[in-house]
Amino acid sequence: MSKFKLFLLRHGEGAWNKENRFCSWVDQKLSENGVLEAQECGRLLKEQGYHFDQVFTSILSRSIQTAWLVLEAMGQEWVPVTKSWRLNERHYGALIGLNRAEMALNHGEEQVKLWRRSYDITPPPIDESHPYYAEIYNDRRYSTCDVPKEELPKTESLKEVLDRLLPYWNNVIVPVIKSGQTVLLSAHGNSCRALLKHLEDISETDIVNVTLPTGVPVLLELDEDLRPVKPRQLLGDQAKIQAAIKKQHDHASKLDSALKPAPVPYSLYPKSSV
């Protein structure tokens, strides 16, 4: 029997989502379409009569901005928003900033497939020579974390995302839910997927096939032990949701197909918009 409701939300589209680049820990705002997705999400939740007591986000702007826009559209701007690096997107290490053609060019398509499709294999770590290293690790937001800056990840597998997320889930979020409050997690594709793996006991093989579209709220109805009592519900226009999922699967299929990389005529690393 359902006792608690939990909402997961992958942030709205960012500029690099459109370009199939690994944005990861590079801080970027939502694209114009991402703003619209977040606002539409808020309107949908309001129309369906949902109310939130607390919202949790990562410390990346696109996650925070999504939460703000959702709450504004719901007329619930007063709801507390708590931020933690433990809800950040997966750290893609040296792959940050690259798109699929550039990854295949630099690392070979078979290696790229392994990084993307494996649950517990990490990409090469970011180092100080990387164009985005200083932008990430000199950012003042990372001085607020509950671990020293030098202990923050330099790369992560999906398993490691779950490992750093679980302490925050168990110690901070679970008590809020068990107190009877309705919670929204406005986070990222991989942090949401990692938590779904934990809650739904998804296998390491099957989790790679779980896709969450941007800006689509996921409702989980949980029992007293915070286990789902029914399948997750992606709320909204189901035709649009399935089209969005198909689009993401198509992008993944292109990456996993026989890609013949050629030298790219522009810098391997785009300039950040922030």
Side-chain angles (χ1 to χ4, degrees), residues 74-91:
M74 297 178 74
Q76 298 181 36
E77 296 96 328
W78 59 271
V79 172
V81 179
T82 305
K83 310 170 186 71
S84 174
W85 76 274
R86 292 185 180 273
L87 295 176
N88 270 21
E89 176 58 290
R90 176 183 173 187
H91 196 307

Side-chain angles (χ1 to χ4, degrees), residues 1-73:
M1 182 176 177
S2 175
K3 186 168 184 179
F4 305 114
K5 286 184 172 64
L6 170 67
F7 292 80
L8 304 182
L9 177 61
R10 182 183 178 188
H11 63 77
E13 180 191 75
W16 284 7
N17 289 130
K18 293 191 296 185
E19 301 172 14
N20 288 327
R21 294 187 181 276
F22 285 112
C23 189
S24 189
W25 282 29
V26 174
D27 193 55
Q28 291 202 333
K29 299 293 197 299
L30 300 178
S31 67
E32 289 185 10
N33 187 56
V35 169
L36 294 175
E37 287 178 339
Q39 292 170 331
E40 183 177 343
C41 173
R43 287 192 291 268
L44 171 71
L45 292 168
K46 181 178 181 179
E47 289 169 2
Q48 296 194 3
Y50 292 114
H51 300 89
F52 297 124
D53 299 300
Q54 285 206 48
V55 178
F56 294 90
T57 77
S58 74
I59 57 174
L60 294 166
S61 294
R62 56 195 187 273
S63 165
I64 300 166
Q65 188 182 8
T66 296
W68 286 347
L69 291 166
V70 167
L71 291 175
E72 181 182 36

Side-chain angles (χ1 to χ4, degrees), residues 19 58 80 102 118 149 154 156 170 185 201 209 229 242 274:
E19 301 172 14
S58 74
E102 294 160 351
S118 298
K149 190 178 292 188
K154 301 297 190 295
E156 289 178 310
N170 289 323
L185 261 62
D201 197 24
N209 297 315
V229 298
Q242 291 306 313
V274 175

Side-chain angles (χ1 to χ4, degrees), residues 202-219:
I202 303 171
S203 72
E204 295 180 10
T205 301
D206 290 340
I207 191 60
V208 300
N209 297 315
V210 174
T211 300
L212 298 177
T214 56
V216 175
V218 180
L219 169 59

Side-chain angles (χ1 to χ4, degrees), residues 31-264:
S31 67
E32 289 185 10
N33 187 56
V35 169
L36 294 175
E37 287 178 339
Q39 292 170 331
E40 183 177 343
C41 173
R43 287 192 291 268
L44 171 71
L45 292 168
K46 181 178 181 179
E47 289 169 2
Q48 296 194 3
Y50 292 114
H51 300 89
F52 297 124
D53 299 300
Q54 285 206 48
V55 178
F56 294 90
T57 77
S58 74
I59 57 174
L60 294 166
S61 294
R62 56 195 187 273
S63 165
I64 300 166
Q65 188 182 8
T66 296
W68 286 347
L69 291 166
V70 167
L71 291 175
E72 181 182 36
M74 297 178 74
Q76 298 181 36
E77 296 96 328
W78 59 271
V79 172
V81 179
T82 305
K83 310 170 186 71
S84 174
W85 76 274
R86 292 185 180 273
L87 295 176
N88 270 21
E89 176 58 290
R90 176 183 173 187
H91 196 307
Y92 276 99
L95 303 185
I96 290 175
L98 298 177
N99 66 24
R100 62 174 180 265
E102 294 160 351
M103 286 191 299
L105 174 65
N106 289 344
H107 302 285
E109 63 180 89
E110 290 303 320
Q111 183 61 66
V112 171
K113 287 181 191 178
L114 190 62
W115 288 327
R116 290 187 67 253
R117 294 296 182 183
S118 298
Y119 172 66
D120 58 358
I121 295 179
T122 60
I126 194 171
D127 61 32
E128 293 184 6
S129 67
H130 192 283
Y132 288 109
Y133 183 92
E135 181 174 324
I136 293 171
Y137 293 98
N138 290 343
D139 193 315
R140 192 164 64 92
R141 78 190 67 201
Y142 291 107
S143 66
T144 69
C145 298
D146 58 357
V147 298
K149 190 178 292 188
E150 59 270 18
E151 294 181 16
L152 291 171
K154 301 297 190 295
T155 183
E156 289 178 310
S157 63
L158 186 60
K159 178 181 184 301
E160 289 166 323
V161 174
L162 181 56
D163 288 344
R164 52 102 157 153
L165 186 156
L166 276 179
Y168 190 73
W169 166 255
N170 289 323
N171 298 328
V172 179
I173 302 175
V174 165
V176 173
I177 296 173
K178 287 193 171 183
S179 74
Q181 298 187 53
T182 301
V183 165
L184 168 67
L185 261 62
S186 173
H188 304 264
N190 283 302
S191 47
C192 287
R193 289 172 64 244
L195 186 56
L196 277 177
K197 183 187 187 305
H198 171 69
L199 293 175
E200 298 181 344
D201 197 24
I202 303 171
S203 72
E204 295 180 10
T205 301
D206 290 340
I207 191 60
V208 300
N209 297 315
V210 174
T211 300
L212 298 177
T214 56
V216 175
V218 180
L219 169 59
L220 297 175
E221 296 194 39
L222 309 172
D223 64 18
E224 61 183 8
D225 296 318
L226 299 190
R227 292 296 176 188
V229 298
K230 60 174 66 174
R232 76 184 88 105
Q233 302 172 61
L234 276 66
L235 304 180
D237 185 315
Q238 295 302 308
K240 288 183 179 179
I241 291 171
Q242 291 306 313
I245 292 174
K246 182 179 185 302
K247 181 179 179 181
Q248 291 186 31
H249 279 309
D250 288 346
H251 286 319
S253 297
K254 289 178 182 178
L255 179 54
D256 291 336
S257 66
L259 184 61
K260 297 180 180 179
V264 290

